[in-house]
Amino acid sequence: MTDVKTNASVTIGSGASAVTFSNTGKLSLIAGPCQMESRDHAFEMAGALSEICAKLGIGLVYKSSFDKANRTSLSAGRGIGLEKAMQVFADLKAEFGFPVITDIHTEEQCAIVAETVDVLQIPAFLCRQTDLLVAAAKTGKAINVKKGQFLAPWDMKNVLNKLNASGNPNVLLCERGASFGYNTLVSDMRSLPIMAAMGAPVIFDATHSVQQPSGQGGSTGGQREFVETLARAAVAVGVAGLFIETHEDPDHAPSDGPNMVNIKDMPRLLEKLLAFDAVAKG
């Protein structure tokens, strides 16, 4: 292992579509549907997000999960699978030019996914899994690691050190709420400057922060009406980027529907958040 410092600014992709995440720079966005449902749906969502972000001048990293491995119920749909999803991601990149991000769950998936995807995402429940972190870091791809619902923000220093010591300086730290009693998450805005002080760009996950894990018994609930409230607060504090899952019909989405933002509401939401960002960093 080598002694590698964290990069305070992380750039994903290259050329005109490159996206930079910096706590002091303009807000960038990670967005897309929770689960990759089909090639056609992915292109529909990607096209809409690409058009919205181009109009607003905001950098976009497109997100979707090929496998939702931590579903509440065994019978819940998990996605189209790794092989099919990697081809869709490759086609999306060729069509729209933007970088893409997806979750990985096992050490073996890291190298396979890194052949196509620009950012590997470590799910919150797995953020302490040392072997997974090391395998992800060694791909050389940027890493977005979600803070576990069970961790204090200062505990992320150890997670960051694992990735850096494995040779990867390009790490994003993502806040997505902390467990507070049964089926409830709360967002402590102090965590944003605490993690920023570690030297890494900080992302605020506005949609998973309103999740109610297992809140509907056999599935996860959520309070979509509070996404804007929390996102505005986070941007006012100052973050490098936002993570927002979105869908054209969230009430009928196969996963995380209760906390996803309807795609038709994204332009207005992002306009407001960019205004807050300009004030916070002006």
Side-chain angles (χ1 to χ4, degrees), residues 57-185:
I58 184 171
L60 170 67
V61 177
Y62 182 80
K63 182 270 170 186
S64 197
S65 297
F66 64 85
D67 178 19
K68 299 301 294 181
N70 62 346
R71 300 304 302 277
T72 302
S73 169
L74 185 63
S75 63
R78 292 178 51 167
I80 68 173
L82 191 153
E83 185 175 348
K84 290 182 179 178
M86 290 308 107
Q87 185 57 61
V88 173
F89 276 129
D91 292 344
L92 289 171
K93 290 173 64 174
E95 176 72 19
F96 299 104
F98 48 51
V100 297
I101 178 174
T102 197
D103 309 274
I104 45 91
H105 305 92
T106 68
E107 301 155 52
E108 295 76 19
Q109 289 175 351
C110 294
I112 298 170
V113 172
E115 293 179 4
T116 304
V117 170
D118 302 279
V119 187
L120 302 184
Q121 181 162 283
I122 307 295
F125 287 129
L126 300 178
C127 70
R128 284 173 53 95
Q129 296 297 105
T130 299
D131 291 342
L132 179 63
L133 292 173
V134 171
K138 288 184 175 179
T139 66
K141 295 291 184 174
I143 309 295
N144 182 40
V145 57
K146 295 203 172 183
K147 179 177 74 63
Q149 302 92 323
F150 44 85
L151 289 183
W154 43 86
D155 293 331
M156 288 300 284
K157 184 67 175 178
N158 296 319
V159 176
L160 182 61
N161 284 343
K162 287 180 184 180
L163 293 163
N164 291 164
S166 300
N168 197 321
N170 295 314
V171 180
L172 309 173
L173 299 179
C174 185
E175 170 61 56
R176 51 95 73 235
S179 295
F180 186 79
Y182 298 128
N183 309 122
T184 304
L185 298 173

Side-chain angles (χ1 to χ4, degrees), residues 200-219:
V202 174
I203 310 298
F204 182 71
D205 182 342
T207 44
H208 286 100
S209 290
V210 301
Q211 246 186 10
Q212 294 174 311
S214 303
Q216 295 181 343
S219 63

Side-chain angles (χ1 to χ4, degrees), residues 5 20 22 48:
K5 301 289 186 181
T20 297
S22 168

